[in-house]
Amino acid sequence: MRYLPPVLALLALFVLILLAMLAGWRRRARRQEALGEPYVPNAGGRALTGSLLGRGVYVTTTLAAQPLERVTAHGLGPRSRATASDLDDAGTPLLEIGREGAEDLFIPWNAVASVHTSGGMIGKWMGGEALAVVRWRLGETLVDTGLRFDDASGQDALSARAAQLGVPHDPDPPAAPAPLPPAPPHGHGTAPDPTRSETEENA
């Protein structure tokens, strides 16, 4: 009986922590509602045709280049089993991420900024190049969606399709070098020849 108060205190603390986490999740979702709505297929998806790229895990979606800043709006936060498919929606190429227990995510390929690899993001840290990361525009905001494929063939298929569509592999391509200034016209603005004497110049 003497152990009951400490046990009840621990249970109460655990419940408070869960409630605080839930409240934080909801506040973040409300703040992120302005990110824009994910793409909705034409004709309710009845026009979709395509092929499976691979199976694996939908890790989460975060703000671009901020792997700890999870996007919880529009149900994009929770992890789930998923498939990745390359689809055509009446002429619009799409990357579909079919998620178990959540709405499918449709990403137009023309909204994809890069398809690259990463060692991890919030919810999954493995190191190396374990995750395939799709960086895309959700409204006016760049976000990163992480996928952990069951085998390398899924990641290879995704990368190959992205390359076929001209999507960069590098999320941060190097800046182009600044152009050189134009050369001065011949005979104007040239520096004096230091090997010539003042007498020679005045002759």
Side-chain angles (χ1 to χ4, degrees):
M1 195 70 179
R2 64 172 181 240
Y3 298 111
L4 184 58
V7 170
L8 292 176
L10 286 174
L11 286 175
L13 179 61
F14 180 70
V15 170
L16 287 175
I17 292 173
L18 287 180
L19 290 175
M21 291 173 61
L22 180 60
W25 188 287
R26 287 176 173 173
R27 284 196 300 271
R28 176 177 292 183
R30 284 195 297 269
R31 289 197 307 267
Q32 294 174 348
E33 286 296 331
L35 290 179
E37 295 284 342
Y39 180 88
V40 177
N42 294 311
R46 289 190 294 274
L48 296 177
T49 59
S51 58
L52 178 71
L53 296 173
R55 302 178 186 276
V57 174
Y58 169 85
V59 178
T60 193
T61 294
T62 69
L63 298 181
Q66 300 181 54
L68 298 180
E69 192 63 32
R70 191 194 305 265
V71 174
T72 57
H74 313 305
L76 297 178
R79 175 176 167 173
S80 66
R81 288 290 301 173
T83 59
S85 301
D86 178 49
L87 303 181
D88 182 273
D89 181 27
T92 300
L94 299 178
L95 171 63
E96 180 208 22
I97 301 175
R99 301 181 294 164
E100 294 182 5
E103 290 187 9
D104 293 349
L105 176 60
F106 298 94
I107 304 173
W109 276 109
N110 62 10
V112 176
S114 70
V115 173
H116 57 280
T117 57
S118 172
M121 61 197 334
I122 189 166
K124 192 72 172 180
W125 293 94
M126 300 185 69
E129 299 181 344
L131 297 187
V133 178
V134 180
R135 180 165 294 177
W136 56 288
R137 288 180 297 278
L138 177 59
E140 299 299 321
T141 303
L142 277 176
V143 296
D144 287 345
T145 291
L147 297 169
R148 169 62 174 168
F149 286 100
D150 291 340
D151 52 62
S153 63
Q155 190 161 309
D156 291 344
L158 175 63
S159 297
R161 180 55 174 152
Q164 185 181 29
L165 294 170
V167 175
H169 178 73
D170 187 352
D172 300 301
L180 295 175
H186 182 68
H188 297 278
T190 58
D193 187 348
T195 62
R196 298 180 61 191
S197 67
E198 183 177 351
T199 303
E200 291 175 323
E201 290 179 354
N202 293 330

